[in-house]
Amino acid sequence: MSAAKKVKASMMNAIHDLPLLVARDEGYFRDEGLDVEIIRTPGSGQRDSDHQALRANVFERTMEALYDQGACDQFRMCEWGVMKRAVESNTSGGHRPAKIVALGSAMSTFAIVSDPKSGIYEPEQLKDRPIGVSPYNGSHFTTLKLLEGFLKREQIKTTFAGTMKERIEALTRGEVAAISLMEPWISIAEKRGLRVLMESHSTRSEAAGDELDGPTLRKMFNAEAQAASAIAKQPERYVHYLIAEAGGLLELKDLNLARILNAPPEPYTRERFQHTYEWTRDWGLVPSGATYENTVDNRAWQ
């Protein structure tokens, strides 16, 4: 029997990477002939997160720096975050190129949350009011997506407000009008009596370097698809990963399991690229000049 193919994949937060964790721990990667090492890096969702994952230059953040240095082969983030990193790694010098290699598999819920004491009940009341996010992460992009249906772009005001835990603290001190949170922090906010104004699932994308071949990626995605199916059937079996990140701030009964949604990875289409890239570019979040050909590689399905 040949040795298992070794792959190093990085992760930040359990809600983003739940299929990755389940595929490893249930043996789905092993069944595909893979030996996947998951490199855990601090995101914004751990109770004890630091600010390295929130630096303004995304390539100085822990996960991106590890990828840039060749310490991991593959990573996943919100669709717009992967778009930013893939575009900028391919259009500016000095960085290891990353390609978008799949859409999926996690569908992280993000919510805009207010404090009932503020009297904010609807998104329109956030006009020109500061909303706490982490820049160039899912909380940032999803906030823009959610609010542009209610406000003009120039009326949407986001501000850096630290980690998920720090955002909740800033909100309760009245320093921001609202905050953007993902699970398990939405459930923590609800447990504390804060108000969810609106929420949406944030689609994930997967990125990899040219060194990771198509057949290996396809095996990874097969395992993640199997994990997504397992999570859908028994979400309560796997939410311990999220509870652990919260560091004792909530229990299983506090989590809204309906927010745990995952989907099998699939090819990243040209139509999807154009829509997402143009939206991100028009917000001034990525440079012009990227193309489907230099940003996307669906080699897992070829």
Side-chain angles (χ1 to χ4, degrees):
M1 181 180 294
S2 60
K5 171 80 172 183
K6 292 185 178 295
V7 179
K8 292 184 179 181
S10 66
M11 65 160 286
M12 291 192 301
N13 302 299
I15 192 67
H16 301 339
D17 299 281
L18 195 54
L20 189 76
L21 294 167
V22 171
R24 178 197 63 187
D25 294 345
E26 294 288 5
Y28 301 146
F29 285 135
R30 183 189 63 240
D31 294 344
E32 291 285 340
L34 300 177
D35 177 9
V36 176
E37 177 186 353
I38 299 178
I39 302 172
R40 303 181 73 98
T41 63
S44 61
Q46 294 86 15
R47 184 179 180 178
D48 58 352
S49 293
D50 60 26
H51 281 192
Q52 186 172 348
L54 304 175
R55 291 179 177 176
N57 182 342
V58 296
F59 297 103
E60 293 179 355
R61 299 179 183 183
T62 315
M63 186 190 73
E64 291 90 328
L66 285 172
Y67 175 80
D68 228 15
Q69 296 159 11
C72 66
D73 307 301
Q74 198 258 356
F75 63 90
R76 67 212 42 76
M77 303 179 73
C78 74
E79 181 181 6
W80 311 285
V82 166
M83 178 68 71
K84 178 175 177 64
R85 287 149 180 82
V87 166
E88 294 189 4
S89 73
N90 285 286
T91 59
S92 60
H95 297 293
R96 179 188 179 192
K99 295 287 181 66
I100 301 172
V101 292
L103 182 69
S105 57
M107 306 283 285
S108 310
T109 300
F110 276 91
I112 297 177
V113 175
S114 67
D115 189 331
K117 297 193 300 292
S118 69
I120 294 175
Y121 302 92
E122 59 181 359
E124 286 88 348
Q125 290 177 277
L126 294 176
K127 175 184 176 182
D128 297 323
R129 304 285 300 278
I131 304 159
V133 304
S134 56
Y136 308 128
N137 282 346
S139 64
H140 183 187
F141 299 116
T142 308
T143 295
L144 301 179
K145 275 281 188 178
L146 284 168
L147 287 179
E148 66 181 356
F150 296 86
L151 302 172
K152 296 178 181 179
R153 288 192 170 189
E154 62 270 20
Q155 296 170 339
I156 302 172
K157 307 298 181 184
T158 58
T159 185
F160 172 63
T163 66
M164 299 283 166
K165 180 175 180 288
E166 290 170 339
R167 276 173 240 177
I168 290 176
E169 294 167 351
L171 180 67
T172 56
R173 290 194 300 264
E175 296 171 1
V176 290
I179 55 176
S180 177
L181 299 173
M182 63 188 180
E183 285 291 21
W185 296 92
I186 306 170
S187 291
I188 291 171
E190 290 180 317
K191 182 179 179 180
R192 295 185 178 183
L194 300 176
R195 174 179 293 140
V196 172
L197 295 179
M198 57 195 309
E199 62 185 278
S200 173
H201 284 102
S202 162
T203 307
R204 320 308 297 167
S205 288
E206 306 229 4
D210 292 339
E211 301 84 357
L212 196 56
D213 63 86
T216 299
L217 280 170
R218 184 59 183 268
K219 291 176 181 179
M220 289 187 69
F221 298 154
N222 288 343
E224 290 176 35
Q226 192 172 353
S229 177
I231 297 165
K233 291 174 182 176
Q234 290 183 291
E236 67 282 355
R237 180 177 174 182
Y238 301 108
V239 294
H240 62 87
Y241 299 99
L242 279 69
I243 293 171
E245 276 193 348
L249 295 179
L250 85 170
E251 303 171 43
L252 173 59
K253 64 180 177 60
D254 303 315
L255 270 170
N256 183 342
L257 297 182
R259 292 193 178 111
I260 311 301
L261 180 64
N262 299 277
E266 60 184 53
Y268 201 82
T269 66
R270 183 180 295 273
E271 180 182 9
R272 184 85 183 207
F273 168 80
Q274 288 300 143
H275 176 81
T276 303
Y277 172 61
E278 290 171 9
W279 179 86
T280 315
R281 182 201 60 200
D282 292 349
W283 268 100
L285 300 169
V286 293
S288 299
T291 66
Y292 182 77
E293 285 73 20
N294 66 21
T295 309
V296 178
D297 189 337
N298 288 313
R299 58 185 179 270
W301 288 274
Q302 294 171 352

